[in-house]
Each structure stands twice: as structure tokens, then as C-alpha cells.
Amino acid sequence: MARIFYSFALIIISPLIVFYLYILRGKKNQGYRAHFKERFGFVSKSLFTVKTKPLVFHCASVGEVLAATPLIKALQKVHPNLNILITCNTPTGREQILSQFKNTVACSYLPIDFPFATARFLKRIKPQALCILETELWPNLMAISHKKNIPVLVINARLSEKSLQGYQKVAKLTHIIMRSITVLASHNKTDATRFIELGLEASKSHVTGSIKFDITPSEEQLAKVLNLKQLYNSNEDNNDERFVWVAGSTHPVEHELVLLAHQELLKKQPNALLIIAPRHPEQFDKVAELLTQSPLSFSRRSQNSYNNEQILLADTLGELQCLYGAANVSFIGGSLIRRGGHNPLESAAFSVGVITGPHTYNFDHVYPELTKLKGAVMVDSNDELAKQLITFSQNTKACQTLGIKAAQCVAKNQGAIQKTLNIINQYLEPKP
């Protein structure tokens, strides 16, 4: 009954959902209007022409795609003929899938969780198993998969105390979700306990750690980092190495705070360079407008016309990890405002230390360990951010130590991918 009410409510507000995705989001990013039929389960026939049933990975957006990439590539290495479909919710997620995997996987949008759309999707795709990253727990998708005997694997699962309370408010619907899970691989015992408290059978729960720690720069990435350092780290006037910091995945309001911090840094380090990478592509032009109105000189990475400006606007996709690697220190956005932060391990993996604001609840499974091992420092305001940047620019040894500790934290917590692969392998259908 709970799922019937949920589905009915979705159908009632469906005009608003379509208006939001196609009109509002589509106006800002045309990618939301492309492949729109997939939102209703009308996936392309080319996705299921392969005779073997696909293994489906659902990654909500860019962060989940990046986290899942090493896992999926490890799976491809073990099972080179495995048919894999990766679904997502956003155009940037889709672009990241294409960037990471080229034509080695299929990709599509996951349908909106209407029962008819989900049923159509599953009927057309006929997946051998469904792997859901983190907490993308859609009731109809999971319940219909369970009814069709499609294994539902929730991997890299996490559940904050706040999310736990939210699920408890819709207990009957939550119980349907928990009953539909075949196996759950969580970050730690605390996350596992919260899922069990919501009704998951304890026998279905496994603690594997976070696959986000299993990030290792590739030879290609390291070569690109070296090129970026040669391009941006030296000052053309005196050939001295300049202090470079990256503000990655910044949001509105936060953009302005970051620029204020950089202006303070420039008073002490006139040659310092800020590389600012807005979280969403629709913010690129808005940040460019901010910079145009500011006293700061800047160039756009997409135009490849850098000429020793004070700021580089990273208005490209798929480069953030390497830009982190080219910096002395990074600031991870979504944390000076209440957005919950973004993944600091993309920076830490390159031995680049992390500065974060106080709002990191999206990464409660990462920041406590990273801070404990002294690979990250927290600031409460743009003034504190500026002071911390000035300190690191004047004390290169402390800055380097922060980066070394960050990389050690990543290495210490690796191993989740192999544990997760062991679970997935149990649900792969034998080769025909």
C-alpha cells in the first residue's frame, strides 16, 4: 500500500518533475533535454543487442561515477566480455561516463521512478544484477527488480544519522526498500547498523570500507599533472615557483568567498595562482562574469590562453583531479556553505593536502579519518581560509607534509574494491 501511495504521488507531481528537468534545468544545461525519453524507460535498442544480459551500475552523478570508475574497470579486467550498462541522473554524470569508459560500456539515464517507466526499463534491459552506488534507493526500481528476481546490490553504501531519521519517517516505504536489497556493502559498522535498524536483514550486510579510498593516479594522469605544473607553477617574470591552490567544486556564494580569500592571499603572495573549478558547468559563465567585474586578472582553461594571470577559471570537464595534482594545496567546495562538501580524496591521492569548510556531512565517512591523520584542515570562513593559505604559502614544508599525510590516509584505507568485487562476482550469471 505504501508503494501505491508513493507511486500515485509521483504521478500527481509528474508535470512538475518534467517542467523542472526539461524546462528549468534544460534552460541552464541543454544536456537535460537530450535523451529525454530515457527518463521514461524508453532506452535505445542498441543498449540491449548484446546477447548476454548486462550488469547495471547506477551512479547518480559525477561523484558516484568517479568513485565507481576504479571498481568497474577492475571488474572489466577480470571479466573482459562482461556487458555493462551505467545509468545516471545528470548530463555531467553522462559526460563523465563517456570520458572514463569511451565505448567500453553502455550508458543511459535511469528512468524517473514511475512504476511503468521502471518496469519498461527492466523489461527492455533484462539485467543480470543491479548495482546501486551509495544511497540511490528508489522504491519502485528496487521493488520491481526484487519481484523479477533481479539481484539488487547496494555498494559503497552510507547512511548518515540525518538520512536515517528521514527514512524512519516513511517506515512502511523504507521496509519495502530494505526487503528488496539482496546484499549491502557498507563503508563501516555504523552505516551497516543504521541500515539494519531500518529493517535490513543482518545477514545481508557486509562491511567493505569505502571504494572512494581506492583511487590511484594513472600514468596518463601523472604525465598530465607534470605538464600542468610546467604550465602554471612557474612565474614568467623571474622563473620562481609560484604558490598554486585549487578551489574545486565550488557553488554560488562560495565562488565569491573563494575570490575574497585569494585577494587576501595576493597581498602576501603577489604571484599566487588560484585555479577555480565550479561544480556545475552552468556556473562557468557566471563565475567568468564575477571575475570580469573584479579587479583580478583571469583566463579560461577552455581557451588555452593563459598568460600569467592571477586566476585560472577551470571551465572544462574531466580535468579536476589532474588540476588538484598540479597544486600546492586544495580547497574542496560545497563546504563553506551548507552543501555537505565534495570528495577530498581526489586531491589526497595526488599527495595534495586538503582545506575544507565546516559543512562536510556528505563525507562523514572520509573527513574524520583524513583530519585525524592530519591530511586535512578545517576553516570556518573565507577569512580563515585566507589565513590558512597564507600560512601554507609561507611554510612550504608544512604544506608538503599535509599532502604526504593525505596520501598516507588514502593508502591506509584502500582495499574496498577487492572486497566489493568478491561480492559482485557471486551474482554474475555464468558464461553461456
Side-chain angles (χ1 to χ4, degrees), residues 98-207:
L98 296 174
S99 172
Q100 295 290 338
F101 296 97
K102 305 298 187 285
N103 61 349
T104 65
V105 303
C107 75
S108 77
Y109 287 128
L110 187 75
I112 301 167
D113 204 38
F114 303 125
F116 58 86
T118 296
R120 180 183 296 117
F121 172 80
L122 294 173
K123 183 178 180 180
R124 290 189 170 205
I125 294 299
K126 296 182 175 62
Q128 55 180 289
L130 174 64
C131 299
I132 298 174
L133 266 289
E134 301 189 1
T135 50
E136 277 284 297
L137 308 179
W138 296 104
N140 283 322
L141 173 67
M142 299 178 72
I144 296 173
S145 295
H146 180 65
K147 185 177 180 181
K148 290 179 174 288
N149 294 317
I150 299 169
V152 178
L153 319 180
V154 182
I155 58 180
N156 211 43
R158 60 186 176 91
L159 192 67
S160 66
E161 182 64 32
K162 182 179 179 181
S163 295
L164 171 68
Q165 294 171 3
Y167 279 109
Q168 286 174 332
K169 292 177 181 178
V170 286
K172 290 184 178 180
L173 196 60
T174 297
H175 287 156
I176 292 172
I177 295 173
M178 294 301 124
R179 287 199 303 268
S180 301
I181 295 174
T182 307
V183 65
L184 179 136
S186 66
H187 288 163
N188 52 47
K189 289 182 179 179
T190 302
D191 288 310
T193 300
R194 287 171 180 158
F195 279 103
I196 293 169
E197 189 176 339
L198 289 176
L200 180 72
E201 290 181 23
S203 61
K204 295 181 177 180
S205 175
H206 302 264
V207 176

Side-chain angles (χ1 to χ4, degrees), residues 297-371:
S297 62
F298 79 100
S299 66
R300 299 179 71 142
R301 170 72 179 156
S302 62
Q303 296 175 356
N304 200 25
S305 58
Y306 181 72
N307 189 27
N308 213 38
E309 286 88 2
Q310 296 164 316
I311 293 179
L312 176 69
L313 172 57
D315 57 347
T316 55
L317 296 174
E319 289 194 307
L320 183 54
Q321 288 186 18
C322 292
L323 290 171
Y324 280 140
N328 297 93
V329 70
S330 66
F331 166 76
I332 309 300
S335 59
L336 275 179
I337 58 173
R338 295 181 182 274
R339 291 302 295 264
H342 295 291
N343 188 1
L345 301 179
E346 294 173 3
S347 171
F350 285 89
S351 298
V352 175
V354 169
I355 305 174
T356 179
H359 307 291
T360 59
Y361 53 82
N362 286 337
F363 288 84
D364 282 345
H365 57 293
V366 172
Y367 271 110
E369 182 77 358
L370 191 59
T371 305

